[in-house]
Amino acid sequence: MSGTVLTVDNLVAEARSSDGPVRLVDGVSFAVRAGRTLGLVGESGSGKSVTCLSVLGLPPRGVRIAGGRILLGGHDLRGKTPAELNTLRGREIGMILQDPMTSLNPLLTIGRQITEMFRYRDGIKSREEREARAIDLLRRVRIPAPESRLNSYPHQFSGGMRQRVAIAMNLACDPRLLIADEPTTALDITVRLQILDLLRDVQAERGTAIVLVTHDLHLVRRYCDHVAVMYAGRIVEQGPVEKIFARPRHPYTKGLLGAVPRLHGVQHRLTVIPGQPPLPGSIAEGCRFAPRCPRAQADCLSAYPATRELDEHRSVACWHLEPNEIAVDSLLATATL
Ligand SMILES: Nc1ncnc2c1ncn2[C@@H]1O[C@H](COP(=O)(O)OP(=O)(O)OP(=O)(O)O)[C@@H](O)[C@H]1O
Ligand code: SF4
Ligand SMILES: [Mg+2]
């Protein structure tokens, strides 16, 4: 369970525009090991989805991967043909997106979708066997009475059930890597935890490496080993969850952690970071967070801070780090859901 499954090295993704290419993801690097979960966090528009879709070889329309390497078990996915990538997505890389309907066909019953997958992908000829496998799969994701659900259509399932089915279809492939981009955002908190518990169980059993995009830092605390914080197309800080949550060294990370509402006891006012991130295409020289940063100094405006290693597996890009001795431990460190 210990090897590195995914390595993203200096990934650059650009959108076409009339003024030339615009960088949406600008030199992103991270790695995920077998059996581990990396949380990818950051405000809306920071490039989390473009990063995930690029890793999947499915950059959004008008966006191209302009640089970097995406290594799955040592093989660079950028060298693969679309057909090869398609095969990999069916076998080695799973994806779970916010809206499970994007991976389910609304016109086909759940049973049909799963059994067809067994027919075409695995070449299982016997209908009984395909159905038995489908029931087994639905049982694994804890769909009650799965025998009676095979003939249901996706709209007859609740949002949480649909997401379970999408997970089931991913599990059938037993992927080494699972990209989950806000898989539970549309669901209520109880169902959200059930789905993520399920993923964690599968991970423990199969050693799956998971990239989990979420806006909920409590979920990062609970389910992720590492966290990478994105801001305006770059990772500004990354490392083990406990270390970063206890002592964020980048002012943006500290701001994000401070913006988390308390779960227990008195509800504090939400401190949001004032201001807005820059839009891609209007990014100035220097640190992208400078206009919003309480620690900004004149030199922050002249050059982007190089990423430096703080200790093993922990890095940060800032000229004037938050002091190490101040433990923020912003409620999150102790918060349990
Ligand atoms: N197809 C596209 N063409 C041009 N720009 C795009 C395209 N898709 C996304 N973008 C831009 O790329 C930037 C990053 O978008 P992305 O969807 O990756 O953000 P995100 O971090 O996933 O945000 P959210 O938390 O809202 O999901 C945004 O500024 C977005 O407007
Ligand atoms: S480099 Fe400067 S502006 Fe950027 S986060 Fe660090 S202190 Fe703030
Ligand atoms: Mg997104």
Side-chain angles (χ1 to χ4, degrees):
M1 279 213 190
S2 57
T4 300
V5 172
L6 174 71
T7 307
V8 173
D9 178 25
N10 212 10
L11 177 70
V12 176
E14 290 178 345
R16 277 191 290 274
S17 88
S18 48
D19 299 327
V22 173
R23 285 198 171 188
L24 307 181
V25 173
D26 192 5
V28 159
S29 301
F30 59 83
V32 197
R33 296 168 74 83
R36 297 291 158 87
T37 302
L38 171 81
L40 200 54
V41 302
E43 279 162 294
S44 192
S46 55
K48 305 179 297 294
S49 293
V50 172
T51 299
C52 290
L53 292 167
S54 300
V55 168
L56 290 161
L58 297 168
R61 188 182 289 270
V63 176
R64 72 178 191 104
I65 301 172
R69 295 187 307 159
I70 301 164
L71 304 174
L72 183 73
H75 298 284
D76 196 344
L77 299 185
R78 288 194 64 208
K80 305 277 181 207
T81 63
E84 285 169 337
L85 282 173
N86 209 13
T87 306
L88 277 173
R89 277 193 299 273
R91 295 186 185 277
E92 310 237 353
I93 313 175
M95 56 179 170
I96 303 176
L97 305 176
Q98 183 175 341
D99 178 5
M101 286 308 276
T102 51
S103 46
L104 298 175
N105 185 335
L107 302 176
L108 298 179
T109 63
I110 294 296
R112 180 86 188 273
Q113 296 187 51
I114 301 179
T115 53
E116 291 296 277
M117 181 176 71
F118 288 136
R119 189 212 302 248
Y120 291 111
R121 202 203 56 192
D122 300 333
I124 299 174
K125 300 232 163 30
S126 143
R127 186 177 162 176
E128 287 72 35
E129 190 185 338
R130 290 198 302 268
E131 284 193 0
R133 284 195 181 208
I135 290 168
D136 201 43
L137 202 55
L138 292 177
R139 190 168 290 126
R140 264 182 80 194
V141 295
R142 299 186 201 119
I143 302 268
E147 307 79 6
S148 64
R149 301 312 300 259
L150 286 185
N151 291 326
S152 305
Y153 287 88
H155 73 266
Q156 294 171 307
F157 283 76
S158 67
M161 289 287 185
R162 280 199 289 264
Q163 198 57 293
R164 278 166 197 268
V165 173
I167 291 173
M169 295 185 66
N170 273 282
L171 290 187
C173 309
D174 196 9
R176 298 159 74 189
L177 171 68
L178 193 63
I179 306 271
D181 189 352
E182 302 198 50
T184 58
T185 305
L187 307 172
D188 70 47
I189 185 69
T190 318
V191 182
R192 201 178 285 182
L193 297 180
Q194 286 169 356
I195 296 278
L196 291 169
D197 283 348
L198 177 68
L199 282 181
R200 189 167 56 184
D201 292 349
V202 170
Q203 176 178 55
E205 197 183 301
R206 314 299 307 177
T208 326
I210 301 181
V211 176
L212 174 67
V213 176
T214 176
H215 281 261
D216 188 338
L217 293 172
H218 291 99
L219 297 184
V220 173
R221 176 86 194 140
R222 190 176 168 117
Y223 295 102
C224 299
D225 305 284
H226 273 66
V227 59
V229 181
M230 284 192 78
Y231 188 79
R234 291 195 168 169
I235 291 179
V236 294
E237 181 163 16
Q238 65 174 307
V241 167
E242 325 79 66
K243 288 191 179 176
I244 293 201
F245 277 46
R247 285 186 175 76
R249 302 297 307 278
H250 194 285
Y252 179 62
T253 315
K254 189 177 171 199
L256 273 188
L257 291 172
V260 175
R262 205 193 229 283
L263 281 180
H264 297 290
V266 185
Q267 184 87 26
H268 284 273
R269 264 192 60 199
L270 202 66
T271 11
V272 277
I273 307 166
Q276 296 291 326
L279 289 173
S282 63
I283 287 174
E285 284 281 293
C287 175
R288 295 167 183 195
F289 188 54
R292 303 170 75 188
C293 179
R295 298 181 67 79
Q297 298 181 29
D299 58 344
C300 300
L301 299 172
S302 48
Y304 189 83
T307 301
R308 41 178 156 144
E309 305 289 324
L310 289 183
D311 46 55
E312 214 188 349
H313 308 304
R314 182 164 185 193
S315 62
V316 59
C318 171
W319 294 123
H320 308 287
L321 300 181
E322 296 288 346
N324 195 22
E325 68 273 14
I326 296 177
V328 172
D329 205 87
S330 66
L331 306 163
L332 276 160
T334 50
T336 45
L337 286 166

Coordinates of all heavy atoms in Angstrom, one line a residue, residues 3 5 21 45 101 108 114 127 132 139 142-144 164 169 181 185 190 194 206 218 227 239-240 242 272 278 287 321:
G3 N 3.4 2.6 -2.2 CA 4.1 3.3 -3.3 C 3.3 4.5 -3.8 O 2.1 4.6 -3.5
V5 N 1.2 6.4 -6.2 CA 0.4 6.1 -7.4 C 0.3 7.2 -8.4 O 0.5 7.0 -9.6 CB -1.1 5.8 -6.9 CG1 -2.0 5.5 -8.0 CG2 -1.0 4.5 -6.0
P21 N -3.1 32.6 -24.7 CA -3.5 31.6 -23.6 C -3.5 32.2 -22.2 O -2.8 33.1 -21.9 CB -2.3 30.6 -23.7 CG -1.3 31.2 -24.6 CD -1.9 32.4 -25.3
G45 N -12.9 28.7 -8.1 CA -12.1 29.3 -9.2 C -10.6 29.2 -9.0 O -9.9 29.6 -9.9
M101 N -25.3 12.3 -11.7 CA -26.0 12.1 -13.0 C -25.1 12.3 -14.2 O -25.4 11.8 -15.3 CB -27.2 13.1 -13.1 CG -28.4 12.7 -12.2 SD -29.0 11.0 -12.4 CE -30.0 11.2 -13.8
L108 N -31.5 4.7 -18.7 CA -31.3 3.3 -18.5 C -31.5 2.9 -17.0 O -31.1 3.7 -16.2 CB -29.9 2.8 -19.0 CG -29.6 3.0 -20.5 CD1 -28.1 2.5 -20.7 CD2 -30.6 2.2 -21.3
I114 N -25.1 -1.2 -15.0 CA -24.0 -2.0 -14.4 C -23.8 -3.3 -15.2 O -22.6 -3.6 -15.5 CB -24.3 -2.3 -12.9 CG1 -24.5 -1.0 -12.2 CG2 -23.2 -3.1 -12.3 CD1 -24.9 -1.1 -10.7
R127 N -26.1 -13.7 -18.5 CA -26.9 -12.6 -18.0 C -27.1 -12.8 -16.4 O -27.0 -11.8 -15.7 CB -28.3 -12.6 -18.6 CG -29.1 -11.5 -18.2 CD -30.4 -11.5 -18.9 NE -31.3 -10.6 -18.1 CZ -32.5 -10.3 -18.5 NH1 -33.0 -10.8 -19.6 NH2 -33.2 -9.5 -17.8
A132 N -25.9 -11.1 -11.0 CA -25.5 -11.4 -9.6 C -24.3 -10.5 -9.2 O -24.3 -10.0 -8.1 CB -25.0 -12.9 -9.6
R139 N -24.7 -4.1 -3.2 CA -24.7 -4.5 -1.8 C -23.4 -3.9 -1.1 O -23.4 -3.4 0.0 CB -24.7 -6.0 -1.6 CG -24.9 -6.4 -0.2 CD -25.3 -7.9 -0.1 NE -26.6 -8.2 -0.6 CZ -26.8 -9.2 -1.5 NH1 -25.8 -9.9 -2.0 NH2 -28.1 -9.4 -1.9
R142 N -23.8 -0.6 0.0 CA -24.9 -0.6 1.0 C -26.2 0.0 0.5 O -26.8 0.8 1.1 CB -24.4 0.1 2.2 CG -23.3 -0.6 2.8 CD -22.8 -0.1 4.1 NE -21.4 -0.5 4.3 CZ -20.4 0.3 4.4 NH1 -20.5 1.6 4.4 NH2 -19.2 -0.2 4.5
I143 N -26.6 -0.4 -0.8 CA -27.9 -0.1 -1.3 C -28.8 -1.2 -0.7 O -28.6 -2.4 -0.9 CB -28.0 -0.2 -2.8 CG1 -26.9 0.8 -3.4 CG2 -29.4 0.0 -3.3 CD1 -27.4 2.1 -3.8
P144 N -29.9 -0.8 0.0 CA -30.8 -1.8 0.6 C -31.5 -2.5 -0.4 O -31.9 -2.0 -1.4 CB -31.7 -1.0 1.5 CG -31.2 0.4 1.5 CD -30.3 0.6 0.4
R164 N -23.9 6.6 -4.4 CA -23.4 5.3 -4.1 C -23.3 4.4 -5.4 O -22.4 3.6 -5.5 CB -24.4 4.6 -3.2 CG -24.2 5.0 -1.8 CD -25.4 4.5 -0.9 NE -25.4 5.2 0.3 CZ -24.8 4.8 1.4 NH1 -24.2 3.6 1.4 NH2 -24.8 5.5 2.5
M169 N -20.1 1.8 -9.5 CA -19.6 1.6 -10.9 C -18.1 1.8 -10.9 O -17.3 1.1 -11.7 CB -20.3 2.4 -11.9 CG -21.8 2.0 -11.9 SD -22.8 2.8 -13.1 CE -22.2 2.3 -14.6
D181 N -14.2 14.8 -7.1 CA -14.3 16.3 -7.1 C -15.7 16.7 -6.5 O -16.7 16.6 -7.1 CB -14.2 16.8 -8.5 CG -14.1 18.3 -8.6 OD1 -14.2 19.0 -7.6 OD2 -13.8 18.9 -9.7
T185 N -20.9 17.3 -2.1 CA -21.4 18.7 -1.8 C -22.9 18.8 -1.8 O -23.5 19.6 -1.1 CB -20.7 19.6 -2.8 OG1 -19.3 19.4 -2.7 CG2 -21.0 21.1 -2.5
T190 N -25.3 14.0 7.0 CA -25.3 12.5 7.4 C -24.9 11.7 6.2 O -24.0 10.8 6.3 CB -26.7 12.1 7.9 OG1 -27.2 13.2 8.7 CG2 -26.6 10.8 8.6
Q194 N -21.6 9.3 5.3 CA -21.8 7.8 5.0 C -21.0 7.5 3.7 O -20.3 6.5 3.6 CB -23.2 7.5 4.7 CG -24.0 7.4 6.0 CD -25.5 7.3 5.7 OE1 -26.0 7.4 4.6 NE2 -26.3 7.2 6.8
R206 N -8.7 -1.9 -0.5 CA -8.0 -2.0 -1.8 C -6.7 -1.2 -2.0 O -6.1 -1.3 -3.0 CB -9.0 -1.5 -3.0 CG -10.4 -2.1 -2.9 CD -10.5 -3.6 -3.0 NE -9.8 -4.1 -4.1 CZ -9.6 -5.4 -4.4 NH1 -10.2 -6.3 -3.6 NH2 -9.0 -5.8 -5.5
H218 N -13.6 20.4 7.5 CA -13.8 19.4 8.5 C -13.7 18.0 7.8 O -13.2 17.1 8.4 CB -15.2 19.5 9.1 CG -15.4 20.7 10.0 ND1 -15.9 21.9 9.5 CD2 -15.0 20.9 11.2 CE1 -15.9 22.7 10.5 NE2 -15.3 22.2 11.6
V227 N -2.9 17.6 2.6 CA -3.8 18.6 2.1 C -3.0 19.5 1.2 O -1.8 19.8 1.5 CB -4.6 19.4 3.2 CG1 -3.6 20.1 4.2 CG2 -5.5 20.4 2.6
G239 N 1.0 19.6 2.7 CA 1.7 18.8 3.7 C 0.7 18.0 4.5 O -0.5 17.9 4.1
P240 N 1.2 17.3 5.5 CA 0.3 16.5 6.3 C -0.8 17.3 7.0 O -0.5 18.4 7.5 CB 1.3 15.9 7.4 CG 2.6 16.0 6.8 CD 2.6 17.2 5.9
E242 N -2.4 17.1 9.8 CA -2.3 17.5 11.3 C -1.3 18.7 11.4 O -1.6 19.7 12.1 CB -1.7 16.5 12.2 CG -2.1 15.0 11.9 CD -1.3 14.5 10.8 OE1 -0.1 14.3 11.0 OE2 -1.9 14.2 9.7
V272 N -14.4 35.7 7.1 CA -14.0 35.3 5.7 C -12.8 36.2 5.4 O -12.7 37.3 5.9 CB -15.1 35.5 4.7 CG1 -16.0 34.3 4.7 CG2 -16.0 36.7 5.0
P278 N -7.7 36.9 -7.7 CA -7.7 37.5 -9.1 C -8.2 36.5 -10.1 O -8.2 35.3 -9.9 CB -6.1 37.7 -9.3 CG -5.5 36.6 -8.4 CD -6.4 36.5 -7.2
C287 N 3.3 38.0 -5.6 CA 2.4 37.0 -4.9 C 1.0 37.3 -5.3 O 0.5 38.4 -5.1 CB 2.7 37.0 -3.4 SG 1.5 36.0 -2.6
L321 N 6.5 33.9 6.0 CA 5.7 32.9 6.6 C 5.0 33.3 7.9 O 5.6 34.1 8.7 CB 6.5 31.6 6.9 CG 7.1 31.0 5.7 CD1 7.9 29.7 6.1 CD2 6.1 30.6 4.6

